[in-house]
Amino acid sequence: MKLNERSVAHYATCDSPADHTGFLRKRVERHHHHGTSYQRRWFVLKGNLLFYFEERESREPLGLVVLEGCTVELCEAAEEFAFAIRFDDAGAKAYVLVADGQAAMEAWVKALSRASFDYMRLVVRELEKQLEEACKSLAACRKSPRRSSSSGRKRHLSNPALQPLQEKSTTLENGYSTWSSGGCVTSGATCSDHDGGQMKPPPLPPRRRLAASSATGSPAPSLSPAMLESPVPPETICFSKLHNWYGQEIAVLRREWQERQKRGHP
């Protein structure tokens, strides 16, 4: 891979956010002295590129490690808190780094292990799968309430018991409305309440008692025995029959008044 050094250097020091930064000691092999030394460097991780600088304020990186096709693992070394970046190629150089403590070492290993494009590709695929499942679940949730609400509305309209009471027509008999309460029946029958029992008909109006004597002192006319007993059963709710029966008393009083007028008694 060929990299443009100027572009890479600019990317290393530009204001783009870094994924991880910190001081690490980098192992340096010295073949002519047959020894090993460590150099303290400032490391900056951006994406899959690991830059290292001589100092924190340095404007140009000393080196770059491209984190592709590599593994990050702890290693046996004389220095404590050491880990290594190793590549699949047999001849590739391994980088041994030493952190200042356990927490710093774990943070660097975690960040470097997630820096490659191969890892990010796996993460993106997993997120796409989760998004697809979430969209399917949301679509199913949106369809379910609509089906249940529409079916519930159809059941309501098809059930006569759920119809509003005011939509029921009033039953007429002989030109008069019969009493009704939620589910009225016709003449000669009784109404059923909501508990399935028989509703009592409205009480009959008390029969008007005639005065013992009229204003003129004449005895009050008496009603016929047939008029003393109501021909309508007490449990009936037929208004027209009750009206005719109680009207007999009014007719008798009216005839009495007309006869007094003829005799000259006001």
Side-chain angles (χ1 to χ4, degrees):
M1 181 191 306
K2 294 184 64 176
L3 300 175
N4 186 296
E5 293 184 3
R6 182 176 299 178
S7 299
V8 171
H10 173 74
Y11 179 64
T13 57
C14 69
D15 295 334
S16 62
D19 298 313
H20 202 71
T21 60
F23 280 104
L24 293 171
R25 286 181 293 163
K26 177 177 172 292
R27 189 173 72 177
V28 179
E29 300 290 346
R30 301 185 182 275
H31 298 287
H32 58 281
H33 289 297
H34 300 285
T36 302
S37 64
Y38 291 86
Q39 297 174 342
R40 185 176 175 83
R41 296 290 183 251
W42 175 255
F43 283 79
V44 176
L45 176 63
K46 288 188 174 183
N48 65 338
L49 302 179
L50 178 63
F51 301 94
Y52 56 93
F53 300 80
E54 184 175 0
E55 298 293 339
R56 184 171 184 174
E57 293 79 12
S58 299
R59 301 305 303 171
E60 291 185 4
L62 295 177
L64 166 66
V65 181
V66 181
L67 301 172
E68 291 298 331
C70 66
T71 58
V72 182
E73 57 187 22
L74 302 180
C75 65
E76 296 290 339
E79 299 289 334
E80 195 176 8
F81 311 123
F83 60 94
I85 302 175
R86 303 184 188 278
F87 293 87
D88 298 336
D89 295 340
K93 178 183 178 180
Y95 294 85
V96 178
L97 306 172
V98 179
D100 293 336
Q102 180 71 25
M105 181 189 69
E106 292 178 357
W108 270 111
V109 171
K110 183 178 181 180
L112 295 173
S113 300
R114 297 179 175 181
S116 67
F117 277 121
D118 291 336
Y119 176 84
M120 295 303 299
R121 189 179 297 111
L122 295 176
V123 173
V124 170
R125 288 177 180 175
E126 181 63 24
L127 292 177
E128 289 177 347
K129 181 180 179 181
Q130 294 180 9
L131 178 61
E132 183 179 359
E133 293 176 354
C135 291
K136 291 180 179 179
S137 177
L138 180 60
C141 292
R142 287 178 176 176
K143 291 180 180 179
S144 297
R146 293 178 181 177
R147 289 198 301 266
S148 60
S149 61
S150 60
S151 60
R153 182 166 58 253
K154 291 180 180 179
R155 288 195 300 270
H156 173 76
L157 296 177
S158 61
N159 190 349
L162 299 180
Q163 296 294 333
L165 295 179
Q166 58 269 24
E167 295 181 1
K168 295 181 179 293
S169 58
T170 304
T171 305
L172 298 177
E173 180 179 344
N174 295 331
Y176 297 95
S177 297
T178 59
W179 287 291
S180 64
S181 175
C184 184
V185 296
T186 56
S187 174
T190 58
C191 295
S192 299
D193 58 9
H194 297 290
D195 297 332
Q198 296 291 332
M199 293 183 62
K200 294 183 179 180
L204 298 177
R207 186 155 48 88
R208 180 174 179 267
R209 296 183 178 180
L210 297 178
S213 60
S214 63
T216 57
S218 59
S222 59
L223 299 175
S224 61
M227 295 174 61
L228 296 178
E229 296 294 335
S230 173
V232 183
E235 66 274 7
T236 187
I237 58 173
C238 180
F239 178 77
S240 59
K241 294 183 179 181
L242 291 174
H243 179 272
N244 294 334
W245 183 75
Y246 283 106
Q248 298 180 34
E249 181 179 358
I250 303 301
V252 172
L253 293 176
R254 185 173 183 276
R255 287 195 299 271
E256 178 190 15
W257 176 78
Q258 291 176 345
E259 291 177 0
R260 289 202 306 269
Q261 290 295 326
K262 293 178 180 180
R263 293 194 298 264
H265 297 285

